[in-house]
Amino acid sequence: MNKPLENSTFVIFGATGNLARTKLLPSLYHLDMENQLPEGIKILGVGRRISDRQAWIEELENDLKGKVRGGLDKKLFKNFCEKLEFFNGGLRETANYQLLSEFLQQAQFSRNISFYFSLPPTLYGSVVTHLGKAGLLKEDQGWRRVVVEKPFGNNLESAIDLQRHFDKYLKETQIFRIDHYLGKETVQNVQVFRFANLLLEPLWNRNYIDHVQITHSETIGVGSRGSYYDEAGALRDMIQSHLLQLLSLVAMEPPVSMQAEDLRNEKVKLLRSISPIPKNAVSSYAFHAQYSSGIVNGEKVKGYIEEEGIPEDSVCETYAAVKLHIDNWRWRDVPFYLRTGKRLAEKRSMIAICFRQPPKQFFRTSQLEKFQPNWLLIGIQPDETLRMELTVKKPGLDMKTQTISLDTCLNEDTSKDAYEGLLLDVLEGDHTLFLRADEVLQSWKIVDPIIRYWDSQTDYIPTYAAGSWGPEESLRLFEKEGQAWRSSLNPEKNR
Ligand code: BG6
């Protein structure tokens, strides 16, 4: 049985915003439902839009209704509400931090405090500074933790600058940089799959693997997040963070142990081994595009520039594809292709590992015929699967072949949100699934040449029809003729 958690106070800045309403509070409710929260915990919502606790609870009841597992249970919700408090105030006004500090002096609040920044990232620096100046980050009466969402900075330079603000008032052990992908079941399974199965290890290198693809595709557009997204774009929003994390887990060396620092050391080492993208050849390594109107799931949808809050001359990318090489003994000359896009044909996150062809192809009917290579597919969502494709003989008198797959569904209950485990880790003080400062800075270093190049291209961006798989031109990133994106788990659908 796990040690009971120390009592603490969980402060959510931006408690009435989208992330808190759709992810944090439903996850906290679920944790409460499963008796996972510490005895005596208080969850303090901080926000401007709502005036007091009662109004917050009313809004919350509505929000949770459609979201929680098994429907909202009156008794559980009542219990949950007993843990909730509200502080009305904006974070741009210095005076509010003093008021917040006084509010937190009440006996009902534990002195162990987590501050969750569910805020626009541009506010992180100033909020940390204000908290620091108000003495709220000092650990003399209990621990203090700060949880930040990505993006941590906007490019390498701003991330370094933001880190300086954090260093002034916080120790690294107080900071929890969330990447919610690390909380996903299948993502955690990548480590178990790699390091608990010896049979893969001899194959997991440049001798047997031809290339690796990591895809994250979405059918949704930018929705109401236009003002954030137009500043970020797909590269910063997904590749710099989530997809580089997936790549590190697939490609890193076995760590000394599964403890946070050992794991993070190994990920940083891997990120540092990625060859820098040459400034004068960015277009051979990266491709970007923006969705125009089209049909998604049978419905007509707007193009990006017609979305709410998007300037009509925006050249922000909603699709990004990047090729990276890892310059180490294991991976030299094995390209890793990462791509992500909004308003694509399907919602899917998948790691697809393509093995090399056997040295000699015996079972061909013509000189031109090539076998399908073996693929190992790790489906992250919506299907949490593991699938190995092999070539076998087709039944019959002829020596014809076909591709079959050995696959398994890893998890049928996909209702658990990645945030549930991550919030619990914050309360426990476990950094294993959070990013360390050097990891974030190294990830920015990798994408920085692309950011600079794309930022300089202010007058044109290629487009793709919403509902498609993105522009064909992105195929130019592939190094070998005939190679293409693996978009589906099903090999037939992919052709
Ligand atoms: C977020 C991005 O970090 O991840 C969003 O900001 C994206 O743009 C989301 O939609 C994808 O997460 P998931 O868990 O739905 O794959």
Side-chain angles (χ1 to χ4, degrees), residues 150 180-181 184 216 218 220 225 228-229 237-238 242 342 347 349 381:
K150 60 121 249 263
H180 78 276
Y181 263 60
K184 290 186 190 271
H216 171 267
E218 296 181 284
I220 53 168
R225 298 167 74 221
Y228 150 75
Y229 197 87
D237 187 52
M238 286 299 304
H242 309 317
K342 296 225 181 265
K347 176 177 170 63
S349 300
Q381 59 189 29

Side-chain angles (χ1 to χ4, degrees), residues 56 72 88 112 133 168 170 179 256-257 370 386:
W56 188 38
L72 192 65
N88 171 268
N112 295 325
K133 287 193 172 155
K168 214 161 163 194
L170 292 161
D179 183 311
V256 174
S257 79
K370 270 210 151 186
L386 203 55

Side-chain angles (χ1 to χ4, degrees), residues 283-334:
S283 42
S284 313
Y285 289 84
F287 182 84
H288 65 164
Q290 187 183 80
Y291 62 82
S292 55
S293 58
I295 311 264
V296 176
N297 295 333
E299 270 184 37
K300 206 163 180 291
V301 298
K302 295 184 211 165
Y304 178 71
I305 50 170
E306 288 124 35
E307 301 272 16
E308 185 193 322
I310 306 296
E312 59 183 27
D313 58 351
S314 169
V315 288
C316 171
E317 82 282 0
T318 59
Y319 176 99
V322 171
K323 171 170 65 182
L324 296 171
H325 286 105
I326 301 171
D327 192 13
N328 67 12
W329 276 47
R330 191 187 282 269
W331 295 116
R332 185 152 204 180
D333 298 331
V334 178

Side-chain angles (χ1 to χ4, degrees), residues 44-64:
L44 175 65
V46 178
R48 241 181 345 182
R49 184 171 58 76
I50 277 178
S51 57
D52 59 20
R53 176 175 180 273
Q54 197 43 43
W56 188 38
I57 288 179
E58 275 162 29
E59 184 173 90
L60 198 58
E61 185 170 6
N62 255 333
D63 286 345
L64 293 183

Side-chain angles (χ1 to χ4, degrees), residues 64 157 209 336 391 404:
L64 293 183
E157 203 182 328
I209 292 181
F336 282 71
T391 301
I404 53 131

Side-chain angles (χ1 to χ4, degrees), residues 401-418:
T401 62
Q402 62 178 345
T403 303
I404 53 131
S405 58
L406 309 175
D407 58 337
T408 179
C409 168
L410 296 171
N411 184 16
E412 296 205 328
D413 172 16
T414 52
S415 62
K416 236 190 180 105
D417 195 275

Side-chain angles (χ1 to χ4, degrees), residues 32-81:
D32 193 30
M33 181 170 113
E34 288 167 11
N35 280 326
Q36 300 269 11
L37 293 178
E39 191 66 42
I41 189 172
K42 286 282 170 196
I43 299 165
L44 175 65
V46 178
R48 241 181 345 182
R49 184 171 58 76
I50 277 178
S51 57
D52 59 20
R53 176 175 180 273
Q54 197 43 43
W56 188 38
I57 288 179
E58 275 162 29
E59 184 173 90
L60 198 58
E61 185 170 6
N62 255 333
D63 286 345
L64 293 183
K65 260 184 200 152
K67 286 202 181 66
V68 296
R69 287 195 284 278
L72 192 65
D73 178 285
K74 274 213 157 100
K75 194 159 163 247
L76 290 176
F77 184 62
K78 190 167 170 278
N79 279 345
F80 184 60
C81 289

